[in-house]
Every structure is written in C-alpha cells, then in structure tokens.
Amino acid sequence: MITIEKYDKKRGANVFIRRMNADPRVTASVAAIVEDVKERGDEAVREYSLKFDGWAGEMPVSESEWAEGAAKCDAFLLQVMKEAAQNIADFHRRQIPQGFEVEKENGVILGQKVTPLERVGIYVPGGTAAYPSTVLMNAVPASVAGVKEIIMVTPAKEGRIKPEILAAAKIAGVTKIFKVGGAQAIAALAYGTQTTPAVDKITGPGNIYVATAKKLVYGQVDIDMIAGPSEILVIADESADAERAAADMLSQAEHDVLASAVMVTTSARLAELVAAEIERQLTDLPRREIAQRSIEDNGRVIVTESLDDAVEIANALAPEHLEVYTSDPFALLPRLVNAGSIFLGGYTPEPVGDYFAGPNHTLPTSGTARFSSPLSGADFVKRSSYIHYTKEALKEAGEKIAAFAESEGLQAHANAVRIRR
C-alpha cells in the first residue's frame, strides 16, 4: 500500500530515494574490465562477453544480417517508429546552436564555429528486453546534428539482435552495430579495439556496471550522464482523475524496484482514491512484483494546503519526470524550475514523452535536474571560438593585454604581444 502523508514544511519533502553513491566493489570490478579491454582489445571483450552474456561470436553485424533482421519487424511498429523518429528529429534539430561572427573596430573579427562530433557510440540494453525507443532517442539527435559515424553496441542473446532494434537503427541513422554489452562494450567504445572504433562520446542507459564504466572512461570520451532509478512526481488538484493519475505513477514504478512514484495533491479525497486505484491496477500488471515493491518502498502521496506548496516540493526534488495534472497546468509552468521533462495536462501521460512526442527521454535523475538537462541535439556538436586581430587592433590593445599578463606573473605572455609592436 502506498503511503499517504500530510506535507510538513518544517520536515520538507525529500522523498525520492537517491542512490548515487558508488559501490566500491562494482567500481573495482569495472575498472579491471576497462583496463583489460584497453590492453587486450577484442580478446578481452570476447572473454567478458562469454563470461557475462554467454556468447562470444562475431561482434560486427553484417549488412545482410542487419537488413534481414530489420525486415522481420512488425509493419505497424515500423511505421510508428518512423513517425516517432520524425518527431524526435524535428524537435532536436531546433536545439542545435548556430555559429556567429562579429566584426568590430580596426578589423577585429570574433566568432563561434559549431562542428558536429566525428563519431559517437550509443549503448542499447539488450538480452531479454528490447528498447527501440533508446535507439531512436540516442541516434536521431546525433544524426540531425551531423555526426558522421554512429556506432551502436548492444548485447545479443545467443548472437541475435531483435528485429525492432535493427529496424530502429536503420531508421535512426546508425552506421555500425556491434554485438557486445556491459562494461566491456563501454571500454571498447572509449579506447577502440581491433574491430570497434574509438568514439568521441558515449550515450545511452545501462545497468550499474555500464553506468560505472561510463563514469570511469569520462575524460577519455564525453558521456551523456550517469542515470539513477526512474522517478515521477505528479502534481494534482481536485480536477485530476484518480484512475489516470494512478496509471501514470505505475508507469514508472514498473521500471525498477528502486524507482520512485510520488504524487503531491491539494485534495485529500484524491489522495485516497489514487491509493485505492494503485492497488487495483497493480493486480493486472505483468510486472506487478517490481511495481508493488517500488510503490511500497519509494512511493508517496503527499497532501498539501496549496499548489504553491506543490511547486515548492517539485523544485526541491528536481524530478526526472514531472506531470502537472491540474485545471490550469500552464499557470504553474513558469514557476517550475527543476525538472527533467514536464508533462502538462490530463492528456499528456509520461509515455507520450518516452516514445513519440519528440523531446528526449534521456533525462537527469536523482535531483541532478537542478543543474543538468535532457539529452539534446546540442550534445552532439562542439563549439570553437575564433579571433582575428589586425596590426592596428593589436597596437591599440597590446599594452593593456601585456600589463594584464604581467599582473599574473606571465612575462612570456606579455612578450608575445610586445614583440609584435
């Protein structure tokens, strides 16, 4: 049964279970794998794939295997994925920063140059599950940003990748696929092996071993983020429908026993109705055991005096997913400053964002929405500044620059300016 409690301003509402602390045993184990792959390449990758996934055959997916597998994808799902990919492309294309150039006095030119990353790697969880939405959400933004090579890695159960994953990769612009998962896949992408090319950035979700590997290789490559368990916070007033609100909370609870589903409402009656609805809907869920444990361990329904209190709670928690299920959701939007993605109104359940609308579903978790953002088209480009000074411009500003350098004790810097006078 989900816990119902009245909001106590003095105690606060830090109800999400934050689990960002590293396990030293996992870190040590992953560090050994990363170093081994760095040293021995494909040989090490195959050994770990055999050990952890029970398979260690040819890693690269051939064009014929890719095409034949993708052709087996369900026709309706294929069309849905194409529509979703178009929505994702349209949204993420708008996020890509533009270059600019400014000409100032004395011929000074200042500018910003935007360049796509050369090669990125995307990690797609595999095995018994298939997540084509992960393929689209990671590869489509890279594709519209202009990345030349998009390398996908995914564990292959008995050497096979599911048709929907292969089809999504075709749609999204993936250029190569490798049958490898786990920490060894992240290490292969970061350092390169005899068959797997080294990339500039790695994105995509994974288990604790994948997340730890991404953390360890950061610096050698860029990464998207270190994601924690799924979270949803629903702000609701008396206008909300209890059946729908309960369904939205369970949509995240079924992810993982560590997931957090929380509602903040101004209606004590709605709180009771939602609690009852959650119990009723749990009985029909295939992933009931997972969802029930998540609800019992990490779920809450918090009753507040006002929507002002609800906004305060939301900003303090900085949730991954924030649903605003009120009579006028857009009235709260300007005041909601900490959230990964915001879903407005009773007809915008969280799965709309997971699969179809266009904004990315790779979102900051564990309170990191206070300072970080969803994966975007901008994450697949880099910005370089450029400067051009004429002789006249340097003559005018040179002594100022030299004096500034000398104030920091950097005489060679000053000399590099004065030698041109």
Side-chain angles (χ1 to χ4, degrees), residues 18-38:
R18 310 295 191 186
R19 292 181 172 88
M20 292 294 282
N21 294 330
D23 183 331
R25 293 169 298 180
V26 171
T27 300
S29 175
V30 171
I33 293 171
V34 169
E35 285 301 312
D36 198 14
V37 172
K38 182 180 176 182

Side-chain angles (χ1 to χ4, degrees), residues 198-234:
V199 302
D200 302 311
K201 182 166 188 162
I202 301 172
T203 70
N207 62 22
I208 189 171
Y209 294 94
V210 170
T212 302
K214 286 169 66 177
K215 188 174 183 180
L216 292 177
V217 301
Y218 176 65
Q220 174 68 26
V221 293
D222 191 18
I223 62 171
D224 49 357
M225 62 185 72
I226 305 297
S230 296
E231 307 160 350
I232 187 169
L233 175 65
V234 180

Side-chain angles (χ1 to χ4, degrees), residues 130-410:
Y131 298 104
S133 63
T134 296
V135 180
L136 299 183
M137 289 292 181
N138 285 270
V140 171
S143 184
V144 299
V147 175
K148 292 179 181 177
E149 289 188 74
I150 304 172
I151 311 299
M152 187 177 99
V153 295
T154 185
K157 188 173 179 60
E158 298 178 350
R160 292 189 294 273
I161 299 174
K162 294 194 173 182
E164 53 267 43
I165 297 294
L166 294 171
K170 281 285 186 189
I171 293 168
V174 171
T175 51
K176 293 179 182 177
I177 303 176
F178 292 85
K179 299 175 183 177
V180 58
Q184 63 270 25
I186 300 301
L189 290 174
Y191 295 102
T193 69
Q194 293 86 344
T195 59
T196 309
V199 302
D200 302 311
K201 182 166 188 162
I202 301 172
T203 70
N207 62 22
I208 189 171
Y209 294 94
V210 170
T212 302
K214 286 169 66 177
K215 188 174 183 180
L216 292 177
V217 301
Y218 176 65
Q220 174 68 26
V221 293
D222 191 18
I223 62 171
D224 49 357
M225 62 185 72
I226 305 297
S230 296
E231 307 160 350
I232 187 169
L233 175 65
V234 180
I235 295 177
D237 62 13
E238 65 281 352
S239 71
D241 179 85
E243 184 179 27
R244 297 173 184 174
D248 294 353
M249 294 174 73
L250 288 171
S251 74
Q252 295 308 293
E254 74 171 350
H255 267 299
D256 191 316
V257 295
L258 301 180
S260 299
V262 177
M263 169 178 280
V264 182
T265 179
T266 53
S267 169
R269 173 170 169 72
L270 180 66
E272 295 290 344
L273 291 173
V274 167
E277 264 302 315
I278 287 174
E279 289 299 306
R280 185 186 71 79
Q281 292 182 31
L282 271 171
T283 61
D284 298 325
L285 286 182
R287 295 171 65 88
R288 175 183 177 178
E289 290 185 11
I290 292 172
Q292 185 158 7
R293 184 172 165 192
S294 166
I295 288 293
E296 290 175 353
D297 291 352
N298 308 319
R300 298 285 190 283
V301 177
I302 302 170
V303 181
T304 65
E305 294 291 334
S306 66
L307 287 176
D308 290 340
D309 288 342
V311 169
E312 182 178 295
I313 292 168
N315 288 334
L317 296 180
E320 177 188 16
H321 306 99
L322 174 59
E323 287 191 8
V324 185
Y325 198 171
T326 62
S327 58
D328 186 7
F330 280 90
L332 299 186
L333 183 59
R335 297 161 55 198
L336 296 168
V337 297
N338 294 332
S341 189
I342 303 172
F343 303 80
L344 298 164
Y347 292 93
T348 320
E350 186 277 338
V352 171
D354 265 356
Y355 296 105
F356 199 75
N360 212 283
H361 75 196
T362 305
L363 305 171
T365 62
S366 303
T368 59
R370 293 177 293 109
F371 53 80
S372 61
S373 307
L375 188 67
S376 78
D379 290 316
F380 295 97
V381 300
K382 55 188 176 182
R383 299 180 304 278
S384 302
S385 58
Y386 59 90
I387 305 167
H388 169 72
Y389 264 50
T390 61
K391 181 178 180 179
E392 292 75 17
L394 187 61
K395 182 178 180 180
E396 180 181 331
E399 193 52 42
K400 300 171 188 176
I401 298 167
F404 207 155
E406 286 178 332
S407 75
E408 295 186 346
L410 299 174

Side-chain angles (χ1 to χ4, degrees), residues 58-69 166 170 177-179:
E58 285 298 311
M59 290 184 288
V61 175
S62 68
E63 282 295 329
S64 59
E65 181 184 0
W66 192 349
E68 289 169 10
L166 294 171
K170 281 285 186 189
I177 303 176
F178 292 85
K179 299 175 183 177

